[in-house]
Amino acid sequence: MNNVKDKIDIRSLGLEALQEHFIRMGEKSFRAKQIYEWLWKKSCFSFNEMSNISKELRSKLDENFVINNVKINSSQVSADKTIKNSFILHDTHLIEGVLIPTPGRMTACVSSQVGCSLTCKFCATGYMERKRNLNPDEIYDQVVLIDKQARENYGVPLSNIVYMGMGEPLLNYANMMKSVERITAEDGLNMSAKRITVSTAGIAKMIKKLGDDQVKFNLALSLHAANDEKRNAIMPINEQNSLKALAEALKYYYAKTKNPVTYEYIIFDGVNDGIQDAVELAKFCKHLPCKVNIIEYNPIAFASYINAGEDKVEAFAAYLQKQGINTHLRRSRGKDIDAACGQLAIKEKAKVTEV
């Protein structure tokens, strides 16, 4: 089986399935565990690098299997040390991942889909067609590559992971969950689930499923308005997942997990920046323990949204804090590079198309 198309993506197999393949190949099943460790614990992307495996077996692996690893296509380094990557997948699709260094933490922002189907009006990825879901190993690889960047550039390993890149994680639920399992497993990257945050635009039934699965990682909701009319205008997903439905789903999630929720709120000038908007947000926050991250916007060419003025942002945050809501201002990172989610992938795709 020399044709790559005929080879099995080895990381699509669980340990038991891999053991069964090895037995059929005439190999001892314990060899599968060795290979599995190379693939997931040591993050090995080449059979030839598996030093405790015989050359004969490595050759047999190369004949039957393939490792569809993610590669860095290009990187941009910001003055604030943020590193934004365009990653290329085995089928030539492009995605993004970002290394965000801040005092006390080193965060990887990873993608879960190629493009996105949700058409949020302020998001560059929302203007891209969704091509496909990422496989668990493709999400895992982003973490591995960004961790390597953190160590090589700043001498510090990753401390946190956020699923806030391209795509909607809850619309790639099974693969997202499998990637978290591999990242947190002892025979994987062995990172704490409490260091992982999955961000959603708001899929009510899948938020409930997170509760049913009693996940250990953190949940963030990209809210941006606590008013259905306004949220419908900027996030069409709200038309099928109203604030009432989201509130019910989040209360269900909290009852099952006891995990507080983070609300992400970008304050757009003249859109959702008034005190009445803050009043509505404070009311929404009363449903369950939460915190609010007020996020500075990275404008994109496709949309006319801009940041609210500093005075309005501060007044908005001050109102929430007076209501006893845990509120944080998050300054934009990587302003001098293609910082907004999707921008770099769109630019790199355009280069490829021109060629």
Side-chain angles (χ1 to χ4, degrees):
M1 279 196 289
N2 292 322
N3 192 327
V4 172
K5 290 182 179 179
D6 295 329
K7 296 182 181 182
I8 298 168
D9 176 4
I10 193 167
R11 292 189 297 178
S12 69
L13 303 174
L15 180 56
E16 288 185 11
L18 191 58
Q19 288 172 331
E20 289 171 6
H21 272 279
F22 270 51
I23 292 169
R24 285 198 293 270
M25 289 163 56
E27 296 289 339
K28 300 290 186 183
S29 64
F30 78 87
R31 291 292 184 194
K33 193 168 184 180
Q34 288 180 304
I35 303 301
Y36 203 73
E37 183 174 294
W38 275 107
L39 293 171
W40 296 111
K41 194 168 186 176
K42 299 180 181 178
S43 308
C44 184
F45 293 158
S46 169
F47 296 123
N48 286 332
E49 294 174 7
M50 299 179 179
S51 56
N52 65 342
I53 305 299
S54 69
K55 286 185 178 180
E56 182 184 356
L57 178 52
R58 278 182 267 166
S59 177
K60 197 180 290 188
L61 287 170
D62 197 45
E63 288 173 9
N64 291 275
F65 300 102
V66 66
I67 303 173
N68 287 326
N69 60 293
V70 173
K71 300 181 180 72
I72 294 177
N73 181 60
S74 68
S75 299
Q76 296 178 344
V77 183
S78 170
D80 64 18
K81 298 185 179 180
T82 297
I83 302 177
K84 182 149 193 179
N85 301 290
S86 162
F87 293 122
I88 190 164
L89 310 180
H90 69 95
D91 56 4
T92 74
H93 284 309
L94 297 175
I95 58 169
E96 293 180 355
V98 187
L99 172 62
I100 307 169
T102 54
R105 65 173 58 189
M106 193 69 66
T107 303
C109 178
V110 299
S111 296
S112 56
Q113 295 178 311
V114 180
C116 187
S117 61
L118 296 189
T119 66
C120 296
K121 302 307 180 185
F122 56 88
C123 177
T125 310
Y127 292 84
M128 300 170 68
E129 182 184 354
R130 189 194 74 82
K131 297 294 185 180
R132 67 172 176 86
N133 288 333
L134 294 185
N135 297 327
D137 52 282
E138 292 172 323
I139 300 172
Y140 163 95
D141 283 357
Q142 294 173 71
V143 175
V144 170
L145 292 171
I146 295 173
D147 178 59
K148 185 179 179 184
Q149 281 185 332
R151 293 171 188 270
E152 290 179 349
N153 288 275
Y154 306 122
V156 180
L158 283 183
S159 62
N160 296 75
I161 302 167
V162 292
Y163 285 61
M164 294 183 186
M166 293 168 59
E168 167 53 58
L170 299 193
L171 291 181
N172 186 16
Y173 191 89
N175 290 347
M176 177 275 290
M177 291 289 284
K178 180 66 177 176
S179 71
V180 171
E181 185 271 318
R182 287 288 83 217
I183 290 166
T184 58
E186 286 187 15
D187 61 353
L189 299 182
N190 200 26
M191 291 189 71
S192 169
K194 290 297 181 186
R195 296 285 188 169
I196 298 173
T197 299
V198 172
S199 176
T200 177
I203 318 294
K205 68 177 182 179
M206 302 313 293
I207 291 172
K208 287 184 176 179
K209 183 162 175 54
L210 289 173
D212 287 333
D213 289 338
Q214 298 188 341
V215 297
K216 303 299 183 186
F217 54 77
N218 304 301
L219 176 64
L221 172 65
S222 294
L223 191 59
H224 312 314
N227 171 302
D228 277 317
E229 185 179 352
K230 289 189 176 185
R231 197 164 191 268
N232 288 349
I234 60 176
M235 302 180 73
I237 186 64
N238 195 71
E239 294 172 7
Q240 293 83 39
N241 295 264
S242 68
L243 290 166
K244 181 180 178 182
L246 289 176
E248 289 174 356
L250 289 166
K251 284 187 279 189
Y252 181 89
Y253 164 84
Y254 179 75
K256 292 283 188 177
T257 66
K258 300 303 178 187
N259 292 337
V261 174
T262 298
Y263 297 129
E264 297 159 1
Y265 196 101
I266 300 172
I267 303 185
F268 303 108
D269 182 57
V271 176
N272 61 351
D273 58 352
I275 292 301
Q276 180 56 35
D277 296 296
V279 170
E280 291 168 348
L281 176 56
K283 184 178 179 182
F284 191 83
C285 288
K286 301 302 181 183
H287 291 301
L288 69 156
C290 67
K291 71 175 181 179
V292 173
N293 284 338
I294 296 175
I295 304 170
E296 189 176 3
Y297 181 54
N298 277 315
I300 61 172
F302 310 101
S304 58
Y305 296 101
I306 59 173
N307 276 308
E310 191 70 25
D311 56 339
K312 282 200 168 184
V313 173
E314 290 181 1
F316 195 101
Y319 178 84
L320 295 179
Q321 288 164 345
K322 284 180 182 177
Q323 302 306 307
I325 296 166
N326 187 1
T327 306
H328 300 272
L329 287 173
R330 296 280 187 244
R331 299 301 180 186
S332 175
R333 305 285 298 179
K335 286 184 179 180
D336 53 327
I337 57 178
D338 294 303
C341 184
Q343 279 187 314
L344 182 56
I346 289 171
K347 180 187 285 187
E348 294 298 319
K349 183 180 178 182
K351 287 180 183 178
V352 172
T353 303
E354 287 169 7
V355 173

